[in-house]
Amino acid sequence: MKLTINGEDHQTDISVLSELLVSLDYEGDWLATAVNGELVHREDRPGFVLSDRDRIEILSPMQGG
């Protein structure tokens, strides 16, 4: 399945949002995710099934000062 993640094309067999985040090393409660412009809450990620050509945005806080 082809996905666009933070503006970059990716090819994957993973079809669940929470599993995709783990495979990309995004872990923690501080992430924000959206699929096709719609916010997906943390508690909904394990059951959120992705579709071919979905656009995923993953936002995480930046470190620094």
Side-chain angles (χ1 to χ4, degrees), residues 19-61:
E19 294 174 11
L20 179 70
L21 293 174
V22 171
S23 75
L24 296 173
D25 293 327
Y26 284 100
E27 297 185 47
D29 294 337
W30 55 85
L31 297 173
T33 54
V35 176
N36 300 324
E38 298 291 327
L39 183 66
V40 180
H41 295 280
R42 178 174 41 108
E43 60 270 15
D44 296 331
R45 292 177 197 151
F48 194 98
V49 178
L50 300 166
S51 299
D52 190 41
R53 302 201 180 272
D54 275 347
R55 291 175 293 112
I56 300 160
E57 298 296 328
I58 305 167
L59 302 174
S60 61

